Amino acid sequence: MPDKLINDRLLTALRRQPVDMTPVWIMRQAGRYLPEYRAARQRAGDFLTLCKTPELACEVTLQPVQRFDLDAAILFSDILTIPDAMGLGLRVVENKGPQFARPIQSGNDIRKLNVPDVESDLRYVMDAVRLIKRELQGKVPLIGFAGSPWTIATYMIEGESSKNFSKARGMLYGQPELMHLLLDVLSRAVTDYLKSQIAAGVDVVMIFDTWGGILSQAAYREFSLEYMQRIVQDIKAESRSKAVPVILFTKGGGLWIEDIAGSGCDAIGVDWTVDIGAARRRTGGKVALQGNLDTAVLYSSPATIRRQVAEVLAAFGEADGHVFNLGHGIHPDIDPDKVAVLVDAVHELSRPYHRN
């Protein structure tokens, strides 16, 4: 592993230190919008094989970095690797999404769960991290990630994605002690998983709380943020991982930015429903902010993309600690050429905002 990154702009921004231009990466930047990804996916035969084959996961992770002038790579994996390792029988159905053969249906199901042994049950992820770091040769940082305990729990209980998450929310209110039992084992699993990714070489970790925004304010604090905060504190308590920046992203979490900033995380991802300048003022410079262009902007013309990029940059203003990103993952039918416009626009238009 190189001692020093060639491009450490992302890490510098996450530490809220001066940079020469705003760093940019894109959630789901390795994915179906890229023809080279679709070719790799076809060779793999199915999504999970792509995830579980380190050489293929490495190839897919590197594809967007090779195509665009991005400031980070993000590990190609899935947020449901942990429950899969717990024995719930994950499969990903084309055009439908993830499904579990053995979803959580009772307290006994929860009590049978064990924290996976990361270096055996999830070794393919760590092997992928080590391979990617070697192949990157220090070009850009590598971001590792996990789903939040609450978000992982929703899939485990529902058995698949859902429009209203009635089973998960029903357990939250009807049997809160069981929900806490499940979230406790998941928070320990996520902590081990992220620490192992850090040990394998990732430079940043991010927790995706995709479904935290469906909760009430009180429920969010108790059942989502509390467990993410535990994970952050556990990571920061260990000497070899405490210097690694942690990003928390709750989709739909704009109402709770102040609470998230108090979790001990280094950065908060904000979706496009939040004014990023207002978010900066609300957090008082305590954390870096990541975001937050509406993904749908990439369906528009290059001129419109540049204009919308300029608006986000202007909203954040002349301050350190901004990582440009979309407000959520890129859509699979986006033209890759539009992504190039976005990345180049961020770098070009952000320079006047930086002193470095």
Side-chain angles (χ1 to χ4, degrees):
M1 185 188 306
D3 294 331
K4 184 174 177 59
L5 290 164
I6 297 168
N7 174 357
D8 65 352
R9 196 175 288 129
L10 173 73
L11 300 182
T12 304
L14 289 173
R15 297 184 184 112
R16 306 188 308 283
Q17 296 172 349
V19 290
D20 57 340
M21 65 184 86
T22 303
V24 55
W25 69 278
I26 297 170
M27 288 184 277
R28 293 191 190 140
Q29 65 187 25
R32 288 176 291 171
Y33 75 103
L34 291 177
E36 53 266 45
Y37 169 88
R38 295 194 294 270
R41 164 72 173 75
Q42 187 172 17
R43 293 202 317 274
D46 63 80
F47 177 79
L48 287 179
T49 299
L50 190 62
C51 288
K52 293 183 177 184
T53 307
E55 293 77 13
L56 291 175
C58 175
E59 177 184 341
V60 170
T61 298
L62 297 178
Q63 286 171 349
V65 177
Q66 292 164 342
R67 181 185 272 255
F68 309 115
D69 188 23
L70 293 159
D71 293 295
I74 181 167
L75 167 68
F76 180 78
S77 187
D78 192 82
I79 65 169
L80 299 180
T81 52
I82 288 175
D84 183 43
M86 288 175 160
L88 271 66
L90 174 65
R91 63 175 185 155
V92 179
V93 181
E94 196 71 26
N95 299 320
K96 289 186 178 180
Q99 295 181 352
F100 285 110
R102 294 173 290 279
I104 296 296
Q105 296 179 321
S106 68
N108 283 336
D109 291 338
I110 296 173
R111 283 183 279 270
K112 290 176 183 176
L113 295 173
N114 293 309
V115 173
D117 183 301
V118 179
E119 279 294 346
S120 58
D121 301 326
L122 290 163
R123 185 178 180 86
Y124 64 90
V125 178
M126 306 312 143
D127 286 344
V129 170
R130 288 184 276 262
L131 181 57
I132 294 162
K133 283 294 291 185
R134 186 167 72 242
E135 293 299 314
L136 276 173
Q137 298 183 326
K139 179 180 179 182
V140 292
L142 176 62
I143 302 168
F145 71 91
S148 72
W150 164 252
T151 290
I152 296 172
T154 62
Y155 287 100
M156 294 172 71
I157 296 167
E158 300 290 337
E160 58 188 356
S161 189
S162 172
K163 290 185 177 180
N164 54 25
F165 299 94
S166 58
K167 294 177 184 177
R169 294 164 82 184
M171 180 184 290
L172 183 153
Y173 289 110
Q175 297 175 292
E177 69 287 352
L178 289 183
M179 180 59 77
H180 280 301
L181 190 64
L182 176 57
L183 294 172
D184 177 70
V185 70
L186 287 174
S187 68
R188 289 186 281 121
V190 170
T191 299
D192 286 356
Y193 187 49
L194 291 178
K195 283 183 178 180
S196 293
Q197 289 184 36
I198 292 168
V202 301
D203 303 288
V204 181
V205 292
M206 180 165 172
I207 300 175
F208 285 89
D209 187 32
T210 310
W211 301 121
I214 68 172
L215 296 171
S216 69
Q217 184 170 10
Y220 174 74
R221 288 172 173 166
E222 180 178 351
F223 294 95
S224 182
L225 184 58
E226 167 65 24
Y227 290 94
M228 291 194 290
Q229 183 167 339
R230 288 189 196 180
I231 294 165
V232 173
Q233 290 174 345
D234 284 346
I235 290 172
K236 297 296 184 182
E238 189 168 299
S239 58
R240 71 177 179 182
S241 60
K242 66 180 180 180
V244 173
V246 180
I247 307 168
L248 299 188
F249 173 60
T250 295
K251 184 184 177 187
L255 291 173
W256 312 310
I257 286 177
E258 294 89 345
D259 293 327
I260 301 171
S263 68
C265 68
D266 299 280
I268 301 173
V270 291
D271 66 27
W272 62 86
T273 64
V274 179
D275 179 278
I276 200 163
R280 181 169 69 84
R281 292 187 291 274
R282 288 167 58 189
T283 54
K286 295 178 182 177
V287 292
L289 294 174
Q290 179 175 279
N292 64 337
L293 187 72
D294 185 345
T295 308
V297 169
L298 293 178
Y299 290 116
S300 64
S301 68
T304 299
I305 293 170
R306 286 177 59 83
R307 185 169 65 250
Q308 293 292 323
V309 165
E311 289 184 7
V312 173
L313 293 170
F316 190 87
E318 294 185 17
D320 300 321
H322 184 202
V323 174
F324 201 101
N325 209 312
L326 300 176
H328 197 233
I330 188 169
H331 298 163
D333 58 346
I334 292 294
D335 180 352
D337 290 342
K338 302 292 184 65
V339 176
V341 172
L342 165 66
V343 173
D344 292 344
V346 172
H347 286 157
E348 175 191 344
L349 300 177
S350 67
R351 285 183 181 274
Y353 294 97
H354 299 284
R355 302 181 301 276
N356 193 17

Coordinates of all heavy atoms in Angstrom, one line a residue, residues 65-113:
V65 N -13.4 5.2 -11.9 CA -12.2 5.9 -11.7 C -11.3 6.0 -12.9 O -10.7 7.0 -13.2 CB -11.4 5.3 -10.5 CG1 -10.1 6.1 -10.2 CG2 -12.3 5.3 -9.2
Q66 N -11.4 5.0 -13.7 CA -10.6 5.0 -15.0 C -11.3 5.8 -16.0 O -10.7 6.4 -16.9 CB -10.5 3.5 -15.5 CG -9.6 2.6 -14.6 CD -9.8 1.2 -14.8 OE1 -10.8 0.7 -15.4 NE2 -8.8 0.4 -14.3
R67 N -12.6 5.9 -16.0 CA -13.4 6.7 -17.0 C -13.5 8.2 -16.6 O -13.4 9.0 -17.5 CB -14.8 6.1 -17.1 CG -15.6 6.8 -18.1 CD -17.1 6.2 -18.1 NE -17.2 5.1 -19.0 CZ -17.8 5.1 -20.2 NH1 -18.3 6.3 -20.7 NH2 -18.0 4.0 -20.9
F68 N -13.7 8.5 -15.4 CA -13.9 9.9 -14.9 C -12.8 10.4 -14.0 O -12.1 9.6 -13.3 CB -15.3 10.0 -14.2 CG -16.4 9.4 -15.0 CD1 -17.1 8.3 -14.5 CD2 -16.8 9.9 -16.2 CE1 -18.2 7.8 -15.2 CE2 -17.9 9.4 -16.9 CZ -18.5 8.3 -16.4
D69 N -12.7 11.7 -13.9 CA -11.7 12.3 -13.0 C -12.2 12.4 -11.6 O -12.3 13.5 -11.0 CB -11.3 13.7 -13.5 CG -10.1 14.3 -12.7 OD1 -9.3 13.5 -12.1 OD2 -9.9 15.5 -12.8
L70 N -12.6 11.3 -11.0 CA -13.2 11.2 -9.7 C -12.2 11.3 -8.6 O -11.0 10.9 -8.8 CB -14.0 10.0 -9.5 CG -15.3 9.9 -10.4 CD1 -15.7 8.4 -10.5 CD2 -16.4 10.7 -9.8
D71 N -12.6 11.8 -7.4 CA -11.6 11.9 -6.3 C -11.7 10.8 -5.3 O -11.0 10.8 -4.3 CB -11.9 13.3 -5.6 CG -11.6 14.5 -6.5 OD1 -10.4 14.7 -6.8 OD2 -12.5 15.2 -6.8
A72 N -12.4 9.7 -5.6 CA -12.4 8.5 -4.8 C -13.0 7.4 -5.5 O -13.8 7.5 -6.5 CB -13.3 8.8 -3.5
A73 N -12.6 6.2 -5.1 CA -13.3 5.0 -5.5 C -14.1 4.5 -4.3 O -13.7 4.7 -3.2 CB -12.2 3.9 -5.9
I74 N -15.2 3.8 -4.6 CA -16.0 3.2 -3.5 C -16.1 1.7 -3.8 O -16.3 1.2 -4.9 CB -17.4 3.8 -3.4 CG1 -18.1 3.1 -2.2 CG2 -18.2 3.8 -4.6 CD1 -19.3 3.9 -1.7
L75 N -15.8 0.9 -2.8 CA -15.8 -0.5 -2.9 C -17.2 -1.0 -3.5 O -18.2 -0.6 -3.1 CB -15.7 -1.1 -1.4 CG -16.0 -2.6 -1.2 CD1 -15.0 -3.4 -1.9 CD2 -16.1 -2.9 0.3
F76 N -17.1 -1.9 -4.5 CA -18.3 -2.5 -5.0 C -18.7 -3.7 -4.2 O -18.0 -4.7 -4.1 CB -18.1 -3.0 -6.5 CG -19.3 -3.6 -7.1 CD1 -20.3 -2.7 -7.5 CD2 -19.5 -4.9 -7.1 CE1 -21.5 -3.3 -8.1 CE2 -20.6 -5.5 -7.7 CZ -21.6 -4.7 -8.1
S77 N -19.8 -3.5 -3.5 CA -20.4 -4.6 -2.7 C -21.9 -4.3 -2.5 O -22.5 -3.6 -3.3 CB -19.6 -4.6 -1.3 OG -20.0 -5.7 -0.6
D78 N -22.4 -4.7 -1.4 CA -23.9 -4.5 -1.2 C -24.1 -4.4 0.3 O -23.3 -4.9 1.1 CB -24.7 -5.7 -1.7 CG -26.2 -5.4 -1.7 OD1 -26.6 -4.8 -2.7 OD2 -26.9 -5.8 -0.8
I79 N -25.1 -3.6 0.7 CA -25.4 -3.4 2.1 C -25.9 -4.6 2.8 O -26.0 -4.7 4.1 CB -26.3 -2.2 2.4 CG1 -27.7 -2.5 1.8 CG2 -25.7 -0.9 1.9 CD1 -28.7 -1.4 2.3
L80 N -26.3 -5.7 2.1 CA -26.9 -6.8 2.7 C -26.0 -8.0 2.8 O -26.4 -9.2 3.0 CB -28.2 -7.2 1.9 CG -29.3 -6.2 1.8 CD1 -30.5 -6.6 1.0 CD2 -29.7 -5.8 3.2
T81 N -24.7 -7.8 2.6 CA -23.7 -8.9 2.8 C -23.8 -9.4 4.2 O -23.6 -10.6 4.4 CB -22.3 -8.4 2.5 OG1 -22.0 -7.2 3.3 CG2 -22.1 -8.1 1.0
I82 N -24.0 -8.6 5.2 CA -24.0 -9.0 6.6 C -25.2 -10.0 6.9 O -24.9 -11.1 7.4 CB -24.1 -7.8 7.6 CG1 -22.7 -7.1 7.6 CG2 -24.5 -8.3 9.0 CD1 -22.7 -5.9 8.5
P83 N -26.4 -9.7 6.6 CA -27.5 -10.7 6.8 C -27.3 -11.9 5.9 O -27.7 -13.0 6.3 CB -28.8 -9.9 6.5 CG -28.4 -8.7 5.7 CD -27.0 -8.4 6.2
D84 N -26.7 -11.8 4.8 CA -26.4 -13.0 4.0 C -25.5 -13.9 4.7 O -25.7 -15.1 4.8 CB -25.9 -12.5 2.6 CG -25.6 -13.7 1.7 OD1 -26.4 -14.6 1.6 OD2 -24.5 -13.7 1.1
A85 N -24.4 -13.3 5.3 CA -23.5 -14.1 6.1 C -24.1 -14.6 7.4 O -23.6 -15.6 7.9 CB -22.3 -13.2 6.5
M86 N -25.2 -14.1 7.8 CA -25.9 -14.6 9.0 C -26.8 -15.8 8.6 O -27.5 -16.3 9.5 CB -26.8 -13.5 9.6 CG -26.0 -12.4 10.3 SD -27.0 -11.1 10.9 CE -26.0 -10.3 12.2
G87 N -26.9 -16.1 7.4 CA -27.7 -17.3 7.0 C -29.1 -17.0 6.5 O -29.9 -18.0 6.5
L88 N -29.5 -15.8 6.1 CA -30.8 -15.6 5.8 C -31.1 -15.9 4.3 O -32.3 -15.8 3.9 CB -31.2 -14.1 6.0 CG -31.8 -13.8 7.4 CD1 -30.7 -14.0 8.5 CD2 -32.3 -12.4 7.5
G89 N -30.2 -16.3 3.5 CA -30.4 -16.8 2.2 C -30.7 -15.7 1.2 O -31.8 -15.7 0.6
L90 N -29.8 -14.8 1.0 CA -30.0 -13.6 0.1 C -29.9 -14.1 -1.3 O -29.1 -14.9 -1.7 CB -28.9 -12.6 0.4 CG -28.9 -11.4 -0.6 CD1 -30.2 -10.5 -0.4 CD2 -27.7 -10.5 -0.3
R91 N -30.8 -13.5 -2.1 CA -30.7 -13.6 -3.6 C -31.2 -12.3 -4.1 O -32.0 -11.6 -3.5 CB -31.6 -14.7 -4.2 CG -33.0 -14.6 -4.0 CD -33.8 -15.7 -4.7 NE -35.2 -15.6 -4.6 CZ -36.1 -16.0 -5.4 NH1 -35.7 -16.7 -6.5 NH2 -37.4 -15.8 -5.2
V92 N -30.7 -11.9 -5.3 CA -31.0 -10.6 -5.9 C -31.8 -11.0 -7.2 O -31.2 -11.5 -8.1 CB -29.8 -9.7 -6.2 CG1 -30.2 -8.4 -6.9 CG2 -29.1 -9.4 -4.8
V93 N -33.0 -10.6 -7.3 CA -33.9 -11.0 -8.4 C -33.8 -9.8 -9.4 O -34.1 -8.7 -9.0 CB -35.3 -11.3 -8.0 CG1 -36.2 -11.6 -9.2 CG2 -35.4 -12.4 -6.9
E94 N -33.6 -10.1 -10.7 CA -33.5 -9.1 -11.7 C -34.8 -8.3 -11.8 O -35.9 -8.9 -11.8 CB -33.2 -9.8 -13.1 CG -32.7 -8.8 -14.1 CD -31.3 -8.3 -13.9 OE1 -30.5 -9.1 -13.2 OE2 -30.9 -7.2 -14.4
N95 N -34.6 -7.0 -11.8 CA -35.7 -6.0 -11.9 C -36.6 -6.0 -10.6 O -37.7 -5.4 -10.7 CB -36.5 -6.3 -13.1 CG -35.7 -6.1 -14.4 OD1 -34.9 -5.2 -14.5 ND2 -35.9 -7.0 -15.4
K96 N -36.3 -6.8 -9.6 CA -37.1 -6.8 -8.4 C -36.3 -6.4 -7.1 O -36.8 -5.8 -6.2 CB -37.7 -8.2 -8.2 CG -38.9 -8.5 -9.2 CD -39.5 -9.8 -8.8 CE -40.7 -10.1 -9.7 NZ -41.4 -11.4 -9.4
G97 N -35.0 -6.8 -7.1 CA -34.2 -6.4 -6.0 C -33.9 -7.6 -5.1 O -34.2 -8.7 -5.4
P98 N -33.4 -7.3 -3.9 CA -33.0 -8.3 -2.9 C -34.2 -9.0 -2.3 O -35.2 -8.4 -2.0 CB -32.2 -7.6 -1.9 CG -32.7 -6.2 -1.9 CD -33.1 -5.9 -3.3
Q99 N -34.0 -10.3 -2.1 CA -35.0 -11.1 -1.4 C -34.3 -12.1 -0.4 O -33.3 -12.6 -0.8 CB -35.9 -11.9 -2.3 CG -36.8 -11.0 -3.2 CD -37.7 -11.8 -4.2 OE1 -37.5 -13.0 -4.3 NE2 -38.6 -11.1 -4.8
F100 N -34.9 -12.3 0.7 CA -34.3 -13.3 1.7 C -35.2 -14.6 1.7 O -36.5 -14.4 1.9 CB -34.2 -12.7 3.1 CG -33.1 -11.7 3.2 CD1 -33.3 -10.4 3.4 CD2 -31.8 -12.2 3.2 CE1 -32.3 -9.5 3.5 CE2 -30.7 -11.3 3.3 CZ -30.9 -10.0 3.5
A101 N -34.6 -15.7 1.7 CA -35.3 -17.0 1.8 C -35.8 -17.2 3.2 O -36.9 -17.8 3.4 CB -34.4 -18.1 1.3
R102 N -35.1 -16.7 4.2 CA -35.4 -16.9 5.6 C -35.5 -15.6 6.3 O -34.6 -15.3 7.1 CB -34.4 -17.9 6.2 CG -34.5 -19.3 5.6 CD -33.3 -20.2 6.1 NE -32.0 -19.8 5.6 CZ -31.6 -20.1 4.4 NH1 -32.4 -20.8 3.5 NH2 -30.4 -19.7 3.9
P103 N -36.5 -14.8 6.1 CA -36.6 -13.5 6.8 C -36.9 -13.7 8.3 O -37.3 -14.8 8.7 CB -37.8 -12.8 6.1 CG -38.6 -13.9 5.6 CD -37.7 -15.0 5.2
I104 N -36.6 -12.6 9.0 CA -36.9 -12.6 10.5 C -38.4 -12.6 10.7 O -39.1 -11.7 10.3 CB -36.2 -11.4 11.1 CG1 -34.7 -11.5 11.0 CG2 -36.6 -11.3 12.6 CD1 -34.1 -12.7 11.7
Q105 N -38.9 -13.6 11.4 CA -40.4 -13.7 11.7 C -40.7 -13.8 13.1 O -41.9 -13.7 13.5 CB -41.0 -14.9 10.9 CG -40.8 -14.7 9.4 CD -41.4 -15.9 8.7 OE1 -41.3 -17.1 9.1 NE2 -42.1 -15.7 7.6
S106 N -39.7 -13.9 14.0 CA -40.0 -14.1 15.4 C -38.8 -13.7 16.3 O -37.7 -13.6 15.8 CB -40.4 -15.6 15.7 OG -39.3 -16.4 15.5
G107 N -39.1 -13.7 17.6 CA -38.0 -13.4 18.5 C -36.9 -14.5 18.5 O -35.7 -14.3 18.7
N108 N -37.4 -15.8 18.3 CA -36.5 -16.9 18.2 C -35.5 -16.7 17.0 O -34.3 -17.0 17.1 CB -37.2 -18.2 18.1 CG -37.8 -18.6 19.4 OD1 -37.3 -18.2 20.5 ND2 -38.9 -19.5 19.4
D109 N -36.0 -16.2 15.9 CA -35.2 -16.0 14.8 C -34.1 -15.0 15.1 O -32.9 -15.1 14.7 CB -36.0 -15.4 13.6 CG -36.9 -16.5 13.0 OD1 -36.7 -17.7 13.2 OD2 -37.9 -16.1 12.4
I110 N -34.4 -14.0 15.9 CA -33.4 -12.9 16.2 C -32.4 -13.5 17.2 O -31.2 -13.3 17.1 CB -34.1 -11.7 16.8 CG1 -35.0 -11.0 15.8 CG2 -33.1 -10.7 17.4 CD1 -35.9 -9.9 16.3
R111 N -32.9 -14.3 18.2 CA -32.0 -14.8 19.2 C -31.0 -15.8 18.6 O -29.9 -16.1 19.2 CB -32.8 -15.4 20.3 CG -33.4 -14.3 21.3 CD -34.1 -15.0 22.4 NE -35.5 -15.4 22.1 CZ -36.5 -14.6 22.1 NH1 -36.4 -13.4 22.6 NH2 -37.7 -15.1 21.8
K112 N -31.3 -16.4 17.5 CA -30.4 -17.4 16.8 C -29.3 -16.7 16.0 O -28.3 -17.3 15.6 CB -31.2 -18.3 15.9 CG -32.1 -19.2 16.6 CD -32.9 -20.0 15.5 CE -33.9 -21.0 16.2 NZ -34.8 -21.6 15.2
L113 N -29.4 -15.4 15.8 CA -28.4 -14.7 15.0 C -27.1 -14.5 15.7 O -27.1 -14.3 16.9 CB -29.0 -13.3 14.6 CG -30.2 -13.2 13.7 CD1 -30.7 -11.8 13.6 CD2 -29.9 -13.8 12.3

